[in-house]
Amino acid sequence: MKRPPNKRLAALLGGAALIGLGGVALGQSAAPESLLPPGFGDPAPPPSQPAAPRPGADAAPAGAPADLLPPVALAPPPGEADAVPGEDEALTDAEETPPEELELPDYARRSVAAVGPLDGTELGLGGDPFGGANGRFLAGLMRRLDAPLPSRWEAMLLRRALMARTPAPRLIDPVDWVAERAWLLLRLGEADAARMLVQSVDVDRYTPRMFQIAMQSALASADPAGLCAIAAPGAATSGEAAWQLATAICDGLSGEAATSGALIDHARQKKLAGGIDLLLAEKVIGAGVNGRRAINIEWDGVERLNAWRFGLASAVGLAIPDPLFMTVGPQVQAWRARAPMLAPQQRVMPARIAAALGVFSSAALVDLYGAIADQTDPSDIDQTDAGRLRVAYVGADAATRIQALRTLWSGARGARDRYAAAILTARAAARIAPDPALADEAGALVGAMLSAGLDRQAARWAPVVSAMSGGAGDAAWAILAVGAEQPAVDTGAGRVADFAGRAGGRRAQLIVAALAGLGRLAPAQAERLAQANGLSLTQEDRWSRALDLAANGGQTGTVALLVATGMQTRGWGGVPAHYLYRMVSALRRVGLEGEARMIAAEAMTRS
């Protein structure tokens, strides 16, 4: 059962003094409840000979992603015989002839002072999105954030902030700062973004935490070959069995079948791993240049999914049984949606989830349906969603296209999938010319367009919507009132009061909060309407004070992160209206009005 947002935020903020967001280190607290099953977020057992920490680096925090396999003994049980003759010799030979290491000259080494694949200024976030904030405070928020988020648009904003090339805040190791950002990206479902961030740091600069996140990002990306640059140094940092299996996989992929086989046999005999985890490693090795092991994978008896199983199975195109995805969060479906070895038909439902989470764009989702259409027999395509989407775009007339859109919308299952259907059809909806005869569909059409940020196309419906009242008219009006780039419909106090009187309850509070936060209601009008609908726009707590401080300091990245902490709930129904007011207002104050409008429009669409 989810805790109320104020209690969730108290746990997130950790009791820290928030003056200036930088003066006081985040207080230590218990590890947060993991959203993923064991193996995705459990702390690793300490290695037998832990590496010395880097100067200035924090110890591995609670909740760090670690052991990817079920708990296994790293040493043989007492009394067990030594390895089979021949195995140890093969391992010893490999250890005695390590590959020659190449040292990069200083001019070729990448700095870790400011890491990120994207330019923050070009993203509209400025050159230093996190300003002078306390790095430990920010890392604590990231680590405790309950992802994925209920808002697609906030997730996309947070992705940009995490990927921006930004100086490392004070009081945190620069490489650990990159690792925390990448780990949050993974939990948001952003496998490719996390991998880009991880690969922005040279391996010889990795901290123990960075090695953990790098392995996670390679597995989430279904790219076991991505482990090869980090397997040897990772194994030297940690005694986890996963690193030893990663070494075997990389040897197999490079054509060293004998060495790889010896390592696998050694892992099996020493019981470092077993069951499907070992079989999947052998399956990947068999795909190498000289792979000779034919492995049949059976999922019977496997009760849960973890990163290891997901990454290796997806890398070789194995279909993972759908019930296993019920044991993990929806972000893993977003990883699945972009797995390159899976067929488009296997990725379509995960892609819809990814779109609703903000991982897939509308264009990417349409492209996937196009790939499915290309593989479908022309005689069958009319009865498929791919065929209906084609009709929605290029049907002979508006009536035909609208009917195709209705079918796609009505075929969605559940609230998240309905929003995915809106994202899928956004550009097809934009091709429908405004028409009073289509007034009943105005709300769905406008909502679909704004789900993909097509605000100017949606605003063309303002004359039609302004002539409507009640029902579908109210739904379309509320979305346009907060989502249009310029006020396109009447947002005066009288019109807002009429809507609130008919909508009542939460939707009345949300529209007042959003319009007040966007500055589309005069302060006195906003206060009167808020009081009339049981909403306080002046209510404060530690989260709202932190958000105000970050906004006053122009810290766009910190604002984006704090807005996410205000959304510690699975759906929009759990986001308090006075929090929405604070979020929209803070985003607008730091120059992110477009994002503020889209978040407000999403709230009115999905609540």
Side-chain angles (χ1 to χ4, degrees):
M1 179 175 175
K2 298 293 289 184
R3 287 185 284 174
N6 58 340
K7 294 183 180 180
R8 293 286 304 166
L9 286 169
L12 277 164
L13 297 174
L18 300 179
I19 297 175
L21 291 180
V24 182
L26 184 70
Q28 295 298 316
S29 63
E33 179 182 354
S34 176
L35 296 179
L36 301 175
F40 279 75
D42 292 343
S48 56
Q49 295 181 343
R54 289 176 42 158
D58 292 334
D67 197 1
L68 302 176
L69 302 176
V72 291
L74 296 179
E80 181 170 307
D82 292 335
V84 174
E87 286 183 344
D88 285 346
E89 287 80 356
L91 295 173
T92 302
D93 290 342
E95 292 170 357
E96 288 178 350
T97 56
E100 181 181 356
E101 294 186 3
L102 299 178
E103 291 289 340
L104 288 174
D106 289 339
Y107 68 82
R109 291 167 62 84
R110 293 178 293 181
S111 171
V112 295
V115 175
L118 304 178
D119 185 282
T121 301
E122 293 180 359
L123 296 174
L125 300 173
D128 191 2
F130 295 93
N134 182 328
R136 293 180 183 174
F137 171 75
L138 295 174
L141 288 182
M142 291 179 184
R143 199 176 304 136
R144 291 167 172 81
L145 190 64
D146 193 355
L149 302 174
S151 169
R152 161 183 165 83
W153 282 96
E154 165 57 18
M156 292 191 292
L157 171 60
L158 186 56
R159 174 183 64 204
R160 287 160 47 203
L162 295 172
M163 294 185 71
R165 190 176 306 112
T166 177
R170 59 194 184 86
L171 301 180
I172 188 172
D173 182 87
V175 178
D176 283 342
W177 168 242
V178 178
E180 295 296 349
R181 291 153 60 194
W183 178 229
L184 179 50
L185 284 166
L186 285 173
R187 286 157 41 224
L188 291 171
E190 299 281 359
D192 292 323
R195 183 172 61 174
M196 290 174 65
L197 195 58
V198 165
Q199 292 177 344
S200 298
V201 177
D202 293 330
V203 174
D204 63 348
R205 296 183 185 270
Y206 277 19
T207 62
R209 182 156 179 80
M210 190 65 167
F211 277 111
Q212 292 179 324
I213 306 305
M215 174 176 275
Q216 292 278 358
S217 68
L219 294 171
S221 303
D223 180 24
L227 297 171
C228 296
I230 60 174
T237 303
S238 167
E240 296 171 22
W243 287 115
Q244 300 185 42
L245 293 184
T247 301
I249 288 172
C250 293
D251 284 340
L253 294 178
S254 63
E256 299 292 337
T259 304
S260 176
L263 288 169
I264 287 293
D265 292 339
H266 180 265
R268 177 178 287 109
Q269 175 147 355
K270 295 298 184 181
K271 299 182 179 179
L272 301 181
I276 196 167
D277 301 300
L278 195 60
L279 290 174
L280 285 169
E282 291 187 272
K283 184 76 171 179
V284 174
I285 291 168
V289 177
N290 295 321
R292 299 186 181 92
R293 301 191 181 199
I295 303 298
N296 184 39
I297 301 296
E298 297 288 346
W299 294 95
D300 296 343
V302 179
E303 297 181 353
R304 63 181 177 87
L305 190 61
N306 60 24
W308 183 266
R309 294 166 186 171
F310 170 83
L312 299 194
S314 299
V316 293
L318 288 177
I320 300 171
D322 287 337
L324 287 179
F325 284 96
M326 301 300 293
T327 67
V328 293
Q331 58 269 71
V332 182
Q333 293 281 15
W335 301 353
R336 185 187 187 190
R338 46 80 50 218
M341 294 299 291
L342 300 181
Q345 290 81 357
Q346 292 177 283
R347 295 190 285 122
V348 65
M349 286 309 298
R352 291 172 72 101
I353 295 173
L357 295 180
V359 178
F360 263 41
S361 68
S362 174
L365 192 57
V366 170
D367 285 346
L368 180 59
Y369 274 84
I372 294 172
D374 289 342
Q375 297 176 6
T376 303
D377 190 291
S379 62
D380 298 330
I381 197 168
D382 289 344
Q383 304 306 313
T384 67
D385 281 349
R388 296 181 188 105
L389 183 62
R390 178 179 294 176
V391 173
Y393 271 93
V394 297
D397 51 45
T400 302
R401 299 199 299 273
I402 279 286
Q403 183 55 48
L405 289 171
R406 288 193 190 107
T407 304
L408 289 167
W409 293 335
S410 63
R413 294 170 291 184
R416 179 189 287 140
D417 198 43
R418 284 195 294 273
Y419 196 58
I423 297 165
L424 174 66
T425 57
R427 284 173 171 76
R431 294 171 61 88
I432 302 294
D435 185 347
L438 300 175
D440 289 344
E441 308 296 343
L445 290 166
V446 168
M449 285 182 262
L450 284 174
S451 73
L454 304 178
D455 53 353
R456 295 181 182 177
Q457 292 89 331
R460 293 185 301 143
W461 281 79
V464 174
V465 172
S466 297
M468 302 166 62
S469 62
D474 274 351
W477 172 84
I479 299 169
L480 277 181
V482 299
E485 184 177 13
Q486 301 294 332
V489 292
D490 181 12
T491 57
R495 181 66 179 91
V496 177
D498 288 344
F499 172 86
R502 286 190 290 268
R506 176 171 171 76
R507 284 184 63 78
Q509 293 182 347
L510 288 176
I511 193 65
V512 173
L515 289 172
L518 290 169
R520 295 186 175 181
L521 284 173
Q525 293 176 332
E527 187 59 35
R528 284 197 302 270
L529 286 165
Q531 290 181 359
N533 290 282
L535 172 65
S536 173
L537 298 179
T538 58
Q539 184 174 341
E540 287 190 350
D541 55 21
R542 286 178 293 179
W543 171 80
S544 64
R545 290 191 289 272
L547 186 61
D548 283 342
L549 286 168
N552 291 340
Q555 297 177 14
T556 52
T558 309
V559 167
L561 179 58
L562 284 166
V563 167
T565 65
M567 295 183 174
Q568 297 302 282
T569 175
R570 286 297 188 206
W572 269 104
V575 179
H578 67 281
Y579 276 20
L580 178 64
Y581 165 70
R582 295 282 185 174
M583 295 169 187
V584 170
S585 176
L587 290 169
R588 180 168 168 259
R589 284 158 58 193
V590 295
L592 298 173
E593 182 168 353
E595 289 77 3
R597 289 188 291 107
M598 292 304 103
I599 289 172
E602 183 182 1
M604 299 312 303
T605 301
R606 302 181 73 175
S607 295

